[in-house]
Amino acid sequence: MNCPNGDFHCGTRPRRQAPCVPKLACAIGLLTAYCSTHAHTFCITNAAQLQDALTQSSAGGLYDAEDNTLHLVHGLYQTGAATGNAPFFYTSPNSMHFFGIAGGYADGCNAPTRQTPRTRLDGGGHTGVLALRSAQGAVDVRGLTLQNGDGAQPGTGLQVNYLVSANAAVAIQDVVVRNNHSSGNAGGVFVTAGGGTLWFVNNQITGNSADGNYGGGLITGNGTDSEVYNNTVARNTTVAVSGAVGGLYCGGTASCNVHGGIFWNNTGAGLYLGGDGTLRYNDYGVLGGQAPGTSEGNVSVNPQFVDADNGDFHLAGNSPLLGTSPYYSYAIDLDGNPPTESGRIDLGAYEETIFVDGVDED
């Protein structure tokens, strides 16, 4: 079954059925039968290769008239000399082609295992980390850790479609954005989609800060719905005094549907709705913005992370969020565990292997 409107998944909320995957995601191997014949795939092992691939995929580059997908082998990719002391950068103001960047590949760009280390893009405390601008083409980002960015623009960890009037879907999945800082707004992420769905699924947004507002970040959908599932947003800060949102802002003209998330121990509001939305089975310390049209199963309790002080945001065995949600995520979790299709699942970006119905997924 093909997805309508070029979206990355089907459905308006999490369901207990296999998700539909669209043509737009084919370039990263999700549905090869539908892949374009005009597509280029890069296998990348270092920072210089990464920026070169971004440049060649950008407007005026050798492959700007094709769908482009970047596969990154595990390891550390540092901004600096390879990027001209700027973030890793891609821009495509006119192309309607798909752009995807996916990390976590094994050596030789072979398929990863659960033991394969993550791909880390690092700003070194001096630059932003990853900036992508695509006005007309869909963007898919997954399998990356984006860390230690610093700069004045929003989204110093991950910036998608800043200063761009976006007219296509965007999917951000299986991404860790941590310890980034902006002297303006949105220290962690800035993501805008239009003309399609904004998917923000199974991400960890932690330890980011902004001198303006929105320490964790700001996401806006101006097409169909914004689907925000199974994210962990914690320990993000802002120095804003009035209307402080240390966590995540979700707004735009599209409805913001937030399910299975943890928004905890952020300055001020952990989750702020800038427009219409539905909230199902989330844990938030402080909720700000517009009241949701639908609210179901939400709680405000300490999630009991294993060791948040040292960056471990798994749920401990005594967490009240284990086996809480009847909805399942469309994506594997950050440890590579697949979604369950029965029983109840844990909130946040990590799943345990044993569910409350006694089914062991391993």
Side-chain angles (χ1 to χ4, degrees):
M1 179 173 66
N2 292 333
C3 298
N5 303 320
D7 290 341
F8 288 84
H9 302 273
C10 290
T12 57
R13 68 173 192 165
R15 303 176 181 176
R16 292 188 195 167
Q17 63 182 40
C20 171
V21 183
K23 321 180 189 182
L24 290 175
C26 71
I28 53 176
L30 294 178
L31 199 63
T32 54
Y34 291 99
C35 286
S36 168
T37 57
H38 300 287
H40 189 81
T41 301
F42 299 82
C43 179
I44 296 167
T45 62
N46 60 56
Q49 289 179 0
L50 172 55
Q51 185 53 59
D52 181 67
L54 292 166
T55 301
Q56 292 303 319
S57 301
S58 293
L62 183 62
Y63 301 105
D64 70 335
E66 302 182 21
D67 294 341
N68 288 288
T69 302
L70 282 57
H71 290 173
L72 278 63
V73 171
H74 63 89
L76 179 65
Y77 296 72
Q78 186 78 56
T79 63
T83 62
N85 294 316
F88 292 105
F89 184 71
Y90 162 86
T91 181
S92 180
N94 300 310
S95 174
M96 298 181 68
H97 286 279
F98 169 87
F99 176 83
I101 178 169
Y105 280 83
D107 294 340
C109 284
N110 291 313
T113 68
R114 291 189 188 182
Q115 289 71 44
T116 304
R118 293 187 64 84
T119 298
R120 293 164 291 139
L121 277 58
D122 196 303
H126 301 292
T127 72
V129 182
L130 179 63
L132 310 173
R133 299 178 185 176
S134 180
Q136 305 297 329
V139 173
D140 187 292
V141 181
R142 63 185 63 211
L144 300 174
T145 295
L146 307 169
Q147 62 188 27
N148 301 327
D150 204 329
Q153 291 187 350
T156 51
L158 174 63
Q159 182 191 94
V160 180
N161 292 337
Y162 178 59
L163 300 177
V164 167
S165 180
N167 292 291
V170 173
I172 311 298
Q173 177 179 309
D174 185 30
V175 172
V176 176
V177 182
R178 64 189 182 194
N179 304 332
N180 301 283
H181 167 259
S182 173
S183 59
N185 293 320
V189 299
F190 177 96
V191 179
T192 299
T197 299
L198 168 58
W199 292 92
F200 198 79
V201 180
N202 277 100
N203 304 301
Q204 175 186 313
I205 313 298
T206 53
N208 303 286
S209 62
D211 294 347
N213 211 348
Y214 317 118
L218 184 152
I219 61 176
T220 55
N222 296 306
T224 51
D225 290 354
S226 296
E227 309 292 5
V228 184
Y229 301 154
N230 292 90
N231 299 286
T232 296
V233 180
R235 294 201 167 196
N236 301 287
T237 62
T238 174
V239 298
V241 175
S242 176
V245 182
L248 186 69
Y249 174 102
C250 185
T253 59
S255 177
C256 189
N257 304 315
V258 186
H259 307 284
I262 301 173
F263 304 86
W264 193 258
N265 200 14
N266 302 282
T267 303
L271 174 64
Y272 187 100
L273 293 181
D276 293 336
T278 64
L279 300 182
R280 290 187 170 94
Y281 292 90
N282 302 282
D283 178 28
Y284 42 75
V286 178
L287 178 66
Q290 183 169 317
T294 299
S295 180
E296 174 190 359
N298 300 293
V299 297
S300 182
V301 296
N302 189 328
Q304 299 295 341
F305 295 124
V306 169
D307 189 1
D309 287 342
N310 291 299
D312 188 343
F313 291 92
H314 291 79
L315 298 178
N318 63 341
S319 171
L321 306 182
L322 297 173
T324 299
S325 174
Y327 302 108
Y328 87 104
S329 171
Y330 284 119
I332 62 172
D333 77 352
L334 284 176
D335 288 332
N337 297 314
T340 181
E341 297 188 29
S342 63
R344 290 174 176 261
I345 68 167
D346 308 334
L347 302 193
Y350 298 95
E351 288 300 319
E352 299 301 311
T353 57
I354 299 179
F355 297 81
V356 295
D357 59 2
V359 176
D360 190 333
E361 287 294 298
D362 276 354

